[in-house]
Amino acid sequence: MRGKYARIYENNGDVIIEGSNEEDFLNIWKDYFDLDNDYNEIRREISEVCPKLECALKSIDGIRILSQEPWEALCSFIISQNNNIPRIKGIVTRLCEEFGEKGEHGYSFPSAERIAHCTAEELAPLRAGFRASYISDAAKKISDGEVVLEDMYIMPVEECRAQLMKIKGVGPKVAECTLLYGLHRLDAFPIDVWMKKALSTLFSGIDSGNLGKYAGVAQQYIFHYSRLNPDFVK
DNA sequence: GCCCAGGTATAAA
DNA sequence: TTTATACATGGG
């Protein structure tokens, strides 16, 4: 994250951030784990707006929406489309190893500028398939300023969606994921195959329109609940 | 071999 | 505007 490394783990109910310091905690990890938000309060608000979600809200404790880096989130979710998680990880790992900066603890995620200068042949070793040209188009539009991710922290969410979807390979789902995980827009509401199933079975009648400003957090609970009960939502 | 994977672009109805 | 199909790659 932003060139910094830390090992995160849990011990007796405490979350340990190892290999860091107070300065990085305050500047980076506090935001990354969204520690200034009271998620119990957010959960309470969601259940108030939408009581139907009670079971999902109780199905797990400790869910948070991370503040990942905008470009990294955009690129990763482009790679994720019509793909499975082990292969997504592999492609991202190769992307970092091929084009990222080598540090003490591993490779950084490469900048959009770095990827923008890559040819199709150079991207081939990633084995990203048809997504390679999408990665390339995204990198170019970001690095030449046609799409400015950092502006999207405060832009109207509709305008953000329109901007993101100018990129080839970015549709509604990748755009929402970029907004939610990369720009911390907690009102963004990604709908993937699992969400589609859950919303048409267990949670029928629910959509982003009736979930309020924390729709994205609600989405995490619905998503998690549907993966917990795969037969239920099928 | 066949099917599927945290979708999207494109063509056709 | 909505619905169907191809798309690269690799694991089950």
Side-chain angles (χ1 to χ4, degrees), chain A residues 150-191:
Chain A
E150 287 70 23
D151 287 352
M152 297 182 192
Y153 284 112
I154 52 171
M155 260 186 215
V157 72
E158 280 300 338
E159 197 179 325
C160 298
R161 289 180 179 123
Q163 290 286 312
L164 286 166
M165 287 170 62
K166 290 198 303 188
I167 297 166
K168 268 180 245 158
V170 177
K173 194 270 182 179
V174 171
E176 293 302 288
C177 284
T178 303
L179 288 170
L180 181 59
Y181 304 107
L183 290 145
H184 212 66
R185 298 291 299 246
L186 298 186
D187 51 339
F189 192 70
I191 300 179

Side-chain angles (χ1 to χ4, degrees), chain A residues 6-7 20 28 38 100 103-104 113-114 123 129 135 144 154 210 220 233:
Chain A
R7 197 166 75 90
S20 190
I28 296 174
D38 180 349
E104 196 182 342
E113 290 70 27
R114 177 72 184 87
L123 293 179
I135 295 168
D144 71 12
I154 52 171
N210 51 34
Q220 272 300 292
V233 298

Side-chain angles (χ1 to χ4, degrees), chain A residues 40-206:
Chain A
N40 284 325
E41 174 62 16
I42 290 176
R43 211 154 30 169
R44 203 189 56 70
E45 278 197 48
I46 293 171
S47 77
E48 199 170 300
V49 178
C50 189
K52 248 188 164 177
L53 290 178
E54 206 56 52
C55 56
L57 292 167
K58 284 193 293 204
S59 71
I60 185 174
D61 196 44
I63 278 189
R64 311 188 76 84
I65 304 295
L66 301 179
S67 283
Q68 301 175 53
E69 295 187 77
W71 158 247
E72 179 174 343
L74 169 62
C75 196
S76 301
F77 282 107
I78 286 173
I79 292 168
S80 79
Q81 67 183 223
N82 192 235
N83 212 343
N84 56 60
I85 291 166
R87 221 172 80 80
I88 295 165
K89 281 186 188 166
I91 295 169
V92 171
T93 300
R94 290 190 288 277
L95 184 69
C96 294
E97 288 173 353
E98 290 276 344
F99 306 112
E101 311 257 339
K102 188 173 171 63
E104 196 182 342
H105 299 283
Y107 290 87
S108 67
F109 196 89
S111 68
E113 290 70 27
R114 177 72 184 87
I115 301 301
H117 292 106
C118 290
T119 63
E121 291 73 34
E122 290 173 310
L123 293 179
L126 302 180
R127 283 171 280 154
F130 62 86
R131 305 163 195 83
S133 64
Y134 298 164
I135 295 168
S136 186
D137 188 62
K140 283 174 187 154
K141 288 197 167 76
I142 298 302
S143 70
D144 71 12
E146 189 177 339
V147 177
V148 182
L149 293 172
E150 287 70 23
D151 287 352
M152 297 182 192
Y153 284 112
I154 52 171
M155 260 186 215
V157 72
E158 280 300 338
E159 197 179 325
C160 298
R161 289 180 179 123
Q163 290 286 312
L164 286 166
M165 287 170 62
K166 290 198 303 188
I167 297 166
K168 268 180 245 158
V170 177
K173 194 270 182 179
V174 171
E176 293 302 288
C177 284
T178 303
L179 288 170
L180 181 59
Y181 304 107
L183 290 145
H184 212 66
R185 298 291 299 246
L186 298 186
D187 51 339
F189 192 70
I191 300 179
D192 60 26
V193 287
W194 288 92
M195 286 296 292
K196 215 169 277 177
K197 282 187 274 188
L199 293 179
S200 67
T201 56
L202 283 176
F203 304 110
S204 61
I206 294 176

